[in-house]
Amino acid sequence: MAGGDDLKLLGAWPSPFVVRVKLALSFKGLSFENVEEDLGNKSELLVSSNPVQKKVPVLLHNGKPICESMVIVQYIDEAFAGTGPSLLSSDPHERAVARFWAAYVDDKLVTSWVQSFRGKTEEDKSEGTKQMFAALQTLEGALRECSKGEGYFGGESVGLVDVSLGGLLSWLNATEEMSGTKIFDPVKTPLLAAWAERLRELDGAKLAFPDKDRMVEFIQKRQAQAAAAAAAAASEK
Amino acid sequence: MAGEGDLKLLGLLVSPFVVRVRMALSMKGVSYEYIEVDVFNKSEILLKSNPVHEKVPVLIHHGKPICESLAIVEYVDEVWGGAAPSILPADPYERAIARFWAAYIDDKLFPAWIGAVKAATEEEKAEKVSQTLAALARLEEAFAKCSNGKAFFGGDTVGYLDLALGCNLFWFETLREMFDVELIDEGRTPLLASWAQRFGEAAAVKDVVPNVDKAVEHAKKMRRMFVH
């Protein structure tokens, strides 16, 4: 690590957006101080570093805050250009394609996935699930194009889109285990299924990904809380 | 001039995202073939070059499409990197700040003002206007920090964040005309008000801003289609 660089990550271990930043830091071989935030009781540092959204992740580099997971990931790649592999190609067209697909993951995949469990009605939720699978099908095509026969969206090595999608992997895998339905289906999306396996094996991923059982427990607790809240609201009417 | 021959832009004259890209190309002095697309009746070339979203702008360079306005602006800045001025700042931290606020503009500001245009009821419109004003209040603070006392978000000259916000200005005038609402106002957001004046006069970007009448016409068409 470059001398005199102080990196502090304000995060919450289950958050896919925080995992993205951890992936980027790990892939670049950068060490950092991990600060676990209690999102129900946000620290002064978090609120002052991200006054606009008050959300994690926030990366503090020598005390200066950077917010928004994909902005942070690009910052890491640029500020530490000499350290570890590049997350973006040097070719402008490939960079533009990577940025396009990273935006797609947030605009289409994350949005529909969130709807699948936060939708107000059962109908909303199942529409979310449907759109999520459609987005995954599109990403299968993107992987085929971007990987050019290699293992990652970034080609031979991980890139921006691998980090963007990779952040979600633990949560999606935990959901797969809980529901019994494959999200990265080796029949429908073979390239993505193989990619997910491959990514999980990387040292950088092992450092960044939350433990699967812990993830399952977290999601179950969340679901129980949501159900209890819904029941309480219903009985108050 | 650089870029001639194999550079096409698929667009819609009144789309702020298209105007954003045209401003970037204009700053670089790059010439291109502009192709107006009927977004209500999408053409083959659009469906082929942006099959994922079927949206404009799409920049087609040497036959290869680039989509998403902010990705296109970064692409233009990189490909025509030699052509002064630089659109993105050189310093990685300043780039991160610029990207953060550009994302904020697209994720928070845009949905609010377009929501006001499409609102079915007065109540909904008022709510959307209120959200727009709240986002602009944040951007007023951002301007104070980013500009460092200089004329633009980018410093002495127009930069990435100026384009990201500036491409929406003609629509704010449109909303004033249609709904008599002042979004950037000297009283509430004085820094943005004087910045908007300067931005409007900047030679590099002036020529690609469409007439407000065209935006009004488009807004009316949208309302006919989407408001029931």
Side-chain angles (χ1 to χ4, degrees):
Chain A
M1 188 162 83
D5 273 307
D6 179 56
L7 285 169
K8 194 185 291 207
L9 176 63
L10 307 183
W13 67 264
S15 161
F17 308 103
V18 172
V19 173
R20 281 177 177 168
V21 176
K22 288 181 177 172
L23 280 171
L25 290 165
S26 303
F27 289 141
K28 297 282 276 181
L30 297 165
S31 45
F32 61 98
E33 183 194 342
N34 187 47
V35 175
E36 199 61 25
E37 285 281 335
D38 173 2
L39 297 180
N41 187 16
K42 293 170 183 177
S43 73
E44 188 54 51
L45 182 60
L46 175 59
V47 173
S48 62
S49 308
N50 188 357
V52 177
Q53 318 275 38
K54 302 186 178 66
K55 285 183 177 174
V56 292
V58 176
L59 182 73
L60 290 149
H61 184 197
N62 295 330
K64 296 204 287 191
I66 304 106
C67 311
E68 282 303 302
S69 64
M70 291 317 290
V71 173
I72 299 172
V73 169
Q74 287 192 79
Y75 174 78
I76 290 167
D77 199 39
E78 290 173 5
F80 296 96
T83 310
S86 265
L87 295 175
L88 274 169
S89 157
S90 54
D91 173 70
H93 187 260
E94 286 179 16
R95 292 159 70 89
V97 172
R99 288 179 174 130
F100 173 86
W101 287 115
Y104 182 87
V105 169
D106 278 340
D107 296 340
K108 298 290 181 209
L109 185 67
V110 171
T111 309
S112 55
W113 165 66
V114 169
Q115 189 177 326
S116 74
F117 58 85
R118 278 207 200 136
K120 292 197 173 111
T121 63
E122 282 312 308
E123 211 172 63
D124 275 346
K125 286 185 195 174
S126 69
E127 179 59 31
T129 307
K130 202 174 103 183
Q131 288 184 19
M132 186 182 76
F133 279 104
L136 286 165
Q137 209 60 55
T138 302
L139 285 164
E140 173 82 0
L143 180 56
R144 186 176 304 114
E145 250 183 69
C146 298
S147 64
K148 301 190 171 79
E150 300 289 348
Y152 303 98
F153 285 91
E156 288 178 333
S157 59
V158 294
L160 200 73
V161 186
D162 300 283
V163 168
S164 170
L165 187 56
L168 300 164
L169 216 50
S170 303
W171 198 304
L172 292 175
N173 287 152
T175 312
E176 279 181 338
E177 180 153 315
M178 288 164 64
S179 67
T181 310
K182 280 247 151 237
I183 295 178
F184 289 96
D185 187 327
V187 173
K188 295 195 190 132
T189 52
L191 295 176
L192 275 180
W195 167 87
E197 285 296 325
R198 194 176 297 124
L199 197 80
R200 265 195 292 273
E201 289 308 306
L202 294 173
D203 290 334
K206 288 180 183 169
L207 286 171
F209 284 1
D211 170 69
K212 186 168 64 166
D213 294 332
R214 201 181 174 201
M215 198 73 240
V216 169
E217 196 188 312
F218 175 82
I219 297 174
Q220 282 172 338
K221 201 191 276 182
R222 271 281 203 94
Q223 286 178 341
Q225 282 170 350
S235 67
E236 270 162 29
K237 289 206 183 97
Chain B
M1 250 203 281
E4 266 174 284
D6 207 1
L7 191 64
K8 295 181 173 55
L9 177 67
L10 306 184
L12 171 70
L13 239 73
V14 297
S15 157
F17 305 106
V18 172
V19 168
R20 180 185 284 173
V21 170
R22 299 189 79 181
M23 286 175 169
L25 290 164
S26 172
M27 279 175 72
K28 294 290 190 177
V30 173
S31 58
Y32 56 96
E33 183 192 347
Y34 178 74
I35 300 169
E36 181 77 359
V37 159
D38 179 358
V39 296
F40 298 110
N41 188 11
K42 292 170 184 180
S43 64
E44 193 59 45
I45 185 176
L46 176 63
L47 299 175
K48 242 178 78 174
S49 22
N50 190 355
V52 177
H53 297 303
E54 298 179 3
K55 282 182 176 175
V56 289
V58 181
L59 187 72
I60 307 176
H61 193 202
H62 301 308
K64 296 201 274 193
I66 303 110
C67 311
E68 284 303 302
S69 67
L70 293 175
I72 300 172
V73 171
E74 294 218 32
Y75 176 84
V76 167
D77 200 31
E78 289 169 13
V79 170
W80 289 279
S86 230
I87 297 176
L88 272 102
D91 173 69
Y93 188 73
E94 288 176 34
R95 290 159 77 91
I97 299 298
R99 285 179 181 137
F100 172 86
W101 285 112
Y104 182 83
I105 288 163
D106 286 357
D107 295 341
K108 301 279 183 239
L109 180 67
F110 173 76
W113 73 250
I114 200 79
V117 172
K118 289 184 184 169
T121 64
E122 281 305 311
E123 213 172 53
E124 200 191 325
K125 192 204 303 173
E127 174 59 36
K128 291 296 174 184
V129 167
S130 169
Q131 287 173 9
T132 308
L133 294 173
L136 286 167
R138 286 292 190 186
L139 286 160
E140 174 84 358
E141 292 165 7
F143 184 82
K145 287 208 183 113
C146 297
S147 63
N148 253 322
K150 297 195 173 170
F152 299 101
F153 284 96
D156 290 318
T157 53
V158 167
Y160 180 80
L161 192 48
D162 298 281
L163 294 188
L165 182 57
C167 65
N168 292 282
L169 289 173
F170 72 100
W171 269 100
F172 294 165
E173 284 171 46
T174 305
L175 274 129
R176 188 199 301 134
E177 192 149 310
M178 286 176 69
F179 304 133
D180 198 26
V181 57
E182 198 75 53
L183 294 170
I184 292 185
D185 151 287
E186 259 173 36
R188 274 187 308 256
T189 52
L191 296 176
L192 285 183
S194 52
W195 163 82
Q197 181 93 346
R198 285 190 296 274
F199 185 86
E201 286 160 12
V205 300
K206 227 165 26 171
D207 296 329
V208 298
V209 178
N211 264 321
V212 168
D213 323 326
K214 292 217 153 69
V216 171
E217 201 183 298
H218 188 87
K220 289 183 175 162
K221 205 169 178 182
M222 271 200 296
R223 288 183 59 81
R224 276 198 299 273
M225 291 189 70
F226 297 114
V227 181
H228 301 294

